[in-house]
Amino acid sequence: MGNARIGRNSGGKSDALVQTFLPRRFDVFAGFPLKFCGFAEQGVWQIFRPIIGLQVLCTAAASLLSVWTAGIHGAVSAALGGSIGIVAGLAFAALAARSKPKSAGEALYTALRAEFVKVVLMILLLWVVLATYRDVVAIGLIGTFIATVLIFTMAVWVREK
């Protein structure tokens, strides 16, 4: 299924959509265009992709352990706790990728703003889960959340090639 064959069979608006999305490279592991939020241009995605992958792996392992120890509600709680850390980390990475600081002060402001958004998002999502999920297993939720947040701090040690 080549680009030319698809482009010839399509017409009008659909042809424009095909031409917009086909030329982009796709990340095999993530399944979305690398140009998403500027991740590819600034190398931010190359830094955070292994970290997000570790967070997902940690969340899956904690969910499996929790289903064995605390049942289905433990697994759901662990998955929600890990998801909170993952979503907040992705928000941080997206904000970091969007800016193009021209000075050290602007870079520091961007980092502090992204960290503020990440912390506020974490608090908000934790509150939503604790307020709405009646059968939450707190140790699974908080434990997996803390683990994913600690894994996110490992991004400091990831070096660009």
Side-chain angles (χ1 to χ4, degrees):
M1 182 180 270
N3 293 357
R5 195 180 94 190
I6 292 174
R8 273 183 288 163
N9 292 339
S10 301
K13 262 187 172 178
S14 63
D15 188 40
L17 288 174
V18 168
Q19 295 306 319
T20 299
F21 289 109
L22 275 182
R24 292 190 178 175
R25 288 185 11 188
F26 281 85
D27 188 348
V28 174
F29 298 110
F32 57 85
L34 285 175
K35 298 199 183 270
F36 177 73
C37 290
F39 283 159
E41 290 86 6
Q42 298 180 13
V44 175
W45 183 238
Q46 283 75 23
I47 293 171
F48 286 105
R49 184 176 67 185
I51 301 303
I52 300 297
L54 283 174
Q55 286 180 316
V56 170
L57 187 63
C58 173
T59 301
S63 295
L64 287 174
L65 180 67
S66 295
V67 78
W68 181 57
T69 58
I72 190 70
H73 293 296
V76 171
S77 297
L80 287 171
S83 297
I84 291 169
I86 293 167
V87 167
L90 286 172
F92 179 93
L95 286 174
R98 277 187 16 182
S99 75
K100 296 179 182 176
K102 295 179 180 88
S103 68
E106 288 179 14
L108 181 62
Y109 174 75
T110 299
L112 290 174
R113 185 183 64 185
E115 191 66 31
F116 175 76
V117 168
K118 183 178 89 169
V119 169
V120 168
L121 192 57
M122 286 179 189
I123 292 169
L124 180 67
L125 290 173
L126 276 171
W127 176 76
V128 166
V129 169
L130 290 171
T132 57
Y133 187 39
R134 290 184 178 197
D135 296 322
V136 70
V137 177
I139 191 74
L141 176 79
I142 302 299
T144 309
F145 167 71
I146 289 173
T148 56
V149 170
L150 290 176
I151 289 171
F152 188 79
T153 62
M154 291 178 5
V156 173
W157 290 292
V158 174
R159 302 249 185 225
E160 288 186 64
K161 293 181 180 178

